Amino acid sequence: MLHFRPLFVLLSSACLGLLGPTSVFGQGRPVGKAPKVVVQDDGTVEVPAQTVPMSFMKGYLARDYELFAVEKKDEQIGGIHAYVYTPKAGVSARNKDRVLINLHGGGFSGCWPGCAELESIPVSALGQIEVVSVDYREGPDYKFPAASEDVASVYQELLKTHQPKDIGIYGCSAGGIQTAMSIAWFQRHGLPAPGAIGIFCASAGGVFGGDASYTAVPIGEARMPLPINPGAPPPLSYFSGTDPKDPLAAPISAPEVLAKFPPTLMITGTRGFELSAALYTHEQLVKAGVDTELHVWEGLFHGFFYNSDVPESRDALNVIVRFFDRHLGNMVDSGHVSAADAKAGSAAQP
Amino acid sequence: MLHFRPLFVLLSSACLGLLGPTSVFGQGRPVGKAPKVVVQDDGTVEVPAQTVPMSFMKGYLARDYELFAVEKKDEQIGGIHAYVYTPKAGVSARNKDRVLINLHGGGFSGCWPGCAELESIPVSALGQIEVVSVDYREGPDYKFPAASEDVASVYQELLKTHQPKDIGIYGCSAGGIQTAMSIAWFQRHGLPAPGAIGIFCASAGGVFGGDASYTAVPIGEARMPLPINPGAPPPLSYFSGTDPKDPLAAPISAPEVLAKFPPTLMITGTRGFELSAALYTHEQLVKAGVDTELHVWEGLFHGFFYNSDVPESRDALNVIVRFFDRHLGNMVDSGHVSAADAKAGSAAQP
């Protein structure tokens, strides 16, 4: 028996990290008919000839370099590889004690440094703030919780020179999920919560399921096959063997974990495959009493703001910059341990 | 030539006010095949026999009466018919100087008092606050701006005994649109902005168009035919002859009007036909610098909270009550005229 499947099905697991930008690419351009891939009975895969356009990401990066003037330093922070971005125009007076940690998208399996650059450069330049983008460990070489450990190492190092209320964490797609996962990890390991976080193009556990499984494919994410069964975990090797309800991997499973989240900004769009998961996370954070702010862009798709020429990208970036400006530096509630305690490594999260 | 059309097409204009609750009814129940209506060449309409279930609204109202203890008074306020609801448990100390004005849904063509009751009773009881629900003039007997005039009459009367910062206005569907329209009307007529408003199941101009035209039909509003052309105005006689860009009818058309909106709560759901219009309004309010809060319930539909037994209805009601509690009574910015000026009828909006 022969199996005919469109090419993208076979590529989906490996390319998950590129799906956001792939969607951007798909907007308004005819992408042609996907060539048919034939799987023979003996397992041989026959891929027909095709022409692959230049990576969209190169174009996006070139535009960001034109639009946003930043300095980039290649550093090790707490033993973890990272890029540190500072605006060429200088860090603003309000932000001199503040720093943002960016956790890049890429499906826990790639997109360093492309996604990291696209998420960090505009925020550093427009926000006049330092951004540390973390080259955290990913699949298939590493498994959960390697990324959480790496983020915690960077965070603990930054806590030596910053107060928790002056540190923000954000990311898109896998980086948005990892942002939420990091908060759960900090709670478990007695680290204080940062001043504010941003969960973009993502949720506090998974990105699939819900109405978006039925709507995002036809209207915006047609190149991506979505699992319709909401219970089906995404096919990411990084999470293989992980309990999908483990609050460290899916904080959405644990209301008591969500209740201790810092102020949280959520960004999604009606064509993002993560729409439903993001909305559900927002609802649950609101129910848990967390100061949460939701923005849903009509007609826009997974990771739309990777493309700085999408007009709404600037609106989204402004929302991000203003959110952190408003929330960083505020008093941290007394339920969280102090930075000094966290550094000593002996404090338990109440 | 004979024309065959499903019944709901013929009923859609007249029943627009019931579509929200109709959608509630449609959830999880097989509604059967719509009987075929035949329109003869001479204009005769032949409607076949059918069985119509009891109005869902009667059931919803019965549940609200069970769940929420309120007193209702039938009054004339500023010459306009209204119901005034107060919680039987009493108005809370925080709310003793405050009042909410409810503008009911119903497609500007009906649903008084059913929709008014469903929107006012739970908010009054849960919020421990007085709610004035306005029986504003509607189509087909009246046309725009009759409703805006009526709301302004009630508001001006309430301003004799309340400060603007202590008055909130909210509504669902047509009532949500009328809430936004009222703010534009107040600006034009030198009335101060109220302390906060709620635009639910609606936008600041129209409820159709955008991605929701393609997604809400198949997943939640299948009994409703949606105009796919975003430019097409809804077929409401109330607006016949009105310029669809008139800021008094569609404040979304005028950024300078939006910029002077008070703090605004927006509520919608992924299955609401108004989803896209609501999200677009939220984006534009944010860009205009308005303090705006968005909540989008995953999997829920136009006016879902009319049914108090939908679990998320209580969440939505809590969001509404907390929003007004947080925003009413705050200082109004100096750009708005004082209540005294407004009463004198001589102040111009800056």
Side-chain angles (χ1 to χ4, degrees), chain B residues 86-166:
Chain B
T86 47
K88 281 196 177 156
V91 167
S92 71
R94 269 177 78 81
N95 289 334
K96 68 182 173 46
D97 295 328
R98 299 172 177 174
V99 63
L100 294 176
I101 297 174
N102 168 242
L103 306 176
H104 68 87
F108 296 98
S109 59
C111 213
W112 172 273
C115 291
E117 300 259 282
L118 294 173
E119 294 179 34
S120 298
I121 291 172
V123 171
S124 176
L126 293 172
Q128 299 178 272
I129 191 166
E130 180 178 286
V131 177
V132 173
S133 198
V134 181
D135 185 11
Y136 58 82
R137 282 173 293 165
E138 300 184 276
D141 295 334
Y142 299 96
K143 291 200 190 309
F144 170 84
S148 297
E149 291 168 352
D150 290 352
V151 176
S153 295
V154 172
Y155 185 57
Q156 285 182 285
E157 185 67 23
L158 292 174
L159 284 172
K160 295 177 182 170
T161 50
H162 298 78
Q163 294 194 61
K165 67 182 171 65
D166 289 327

Side-chain angles (χ1 to χ4, degrees), chain B residues 311-332:
Chain B
E312 292 86 350
S313 293
R314 188 59 68 95
D315 298 337
L317 290 164
N318 286 340
V319 163
I320 293 168
V321 163
R322 287 181 195 151
F323 177 83
F324 283 115
D325 185 59
R326 205 163 54 246
H327 287 284
L328 292 188
N330 295 338
M331 286 298 295
V332 176

Side-chain angles (χ1 to χ4, degrees), chain B residues 24 56-57 59-68 117-123 125-126 301 303-317:
Chain B
V24 177
F56 51 87
M57 199 162 278
Y60 294 169
L61 284 167
R63 279 295 283 157
D64 274 8
Y65 295 143
E66 274 175 37
L67 293 168
F68 306 112
E117 300 259 282
L118 294 173
E119 294 179 34
S120 298
I121 291 172
V123 171
L126 293 172
F301 32 87
F304 64 91
F305 53 82
Y306 276 20
N307 181 346
S308 290
D309 287 325
V310 170
E312 292 86 350
S313 293
R314 188 59 68 95
D315 298 337
L317 290 164

Side-chain angles (χ1 to χ4, degrees), chain B residues 282-300:
Chain B
H282 177 254
E283 289 167 34
Q284 298 309 309
L285 286 169
V286 169
K287 283 182 79 166
V290 175
D291 185 354
T292 323
E293 186 175 316
L294 172 69
H295 294 258
V296 186
W297 266 272
E298 158 65 11
L300 292 179

Side-chain angles (χ1 to χ4, degrees), chain A residues 2-239:
Chain A
L2 298 180
H3 304 271
F4 295 93
R5 310 172 79 187
L7 183 60
F8 64 74
V9 173
L10 292 176
L11 295 179
S12 65
S13 291
C15 292
L16 192 62
L18 301 179
L19 280 164
T22 300
S23 309
V24 177
F25 178 78
Q27 290 304 116
R29 284 211 215 177
V31 292
K33 206 170 170 181
K36 279 221 171 116
V37 167
V38 178
V39 183
Q40 302 289 2
D41 279 349
D42 67 355
T44 305
V45 179
E46 294 179 357
V47 182
Q50 57 177 322
T51 302
V52 179
M54 186 183 77
S55 164
F56 52 85
M57 199 162 278
K58 190 173 175 186
Y60 295 169
L61 285 167
R63 278 295 283 158
D64 274 9
Y65 294 144
E66 273 175 36
L67 293 168
F68 306 113
V70 295
E71 301 276 2
K72 177 170 74 176
K73 285 188 191 161
D74 192 318
E75 296 194 6
Q76 297 284 324
I77 301 180
I80 308 299
H81 183 228
Y83 284 164
V84 179
Y85 299 88
T86 47
K88 281 196 177 156
V91 167
S92 72
R94 268 176 79 80
N95 289 334
K96 67 181 175 48
D97 295 329
R98 299 172 176 173
V99 63
L100 294 176
I101 297 174
N102 168 243
L103 306 176
H104 68 87
F108 296 99
S109 59
C111 214
W112 173 273
C115 291
E117 300 259 282
L118 293 173
E119 295 179 32
S120 298
I121 290 172
V123 171
S124 176
L126 292 172
Q128 299 179 271
I129 192 166
E130 180 178 287
V131 177
V132 173
S133 197
V134 181
D135 185 11
Y136 58 82
R137 282 174 291 166
E138 301 183 277
D141 295 335
Y142 299 96
K143 290 200 191 308
F144 169 85
S148 297
E149 292 168 351
D150 291 351
V151 176
S153 295
V154 172
Y155 185 56
Q156 286 182 286
E157 186 65 23
L158 291 174
L159 284 171
K160 294 178 182 170
T161 49
H162 299 77
Q163 294 194 62
K165 68 182 171 65
D166 289 328
I167 303 178
I169 307 181
Y170 73 97
C172 175
S173 197
I177 301 174
Q178 183 58 51
T179 295
M181 289 166 62
S182 294
I183 300 305
W185 186 266
F186 297 167
Q187 290 180 17
R188 179 74 63 88
H189 293 85
L191 292 170
I197 61 171
I199 300 174
F200 310 148
C201 346
S203 78
V207 286
F208 301 115
D211 283 350
S213 292
Y214 299 86
T215 59
V217 166
I219 65 174
E221 304 283 345
R223 287 152 60 101
M224 182 177 192
L226 294 183
I228 288 297
N229 175 3
L236 294 176
S237 68
Y238 179 76
F239 289 104

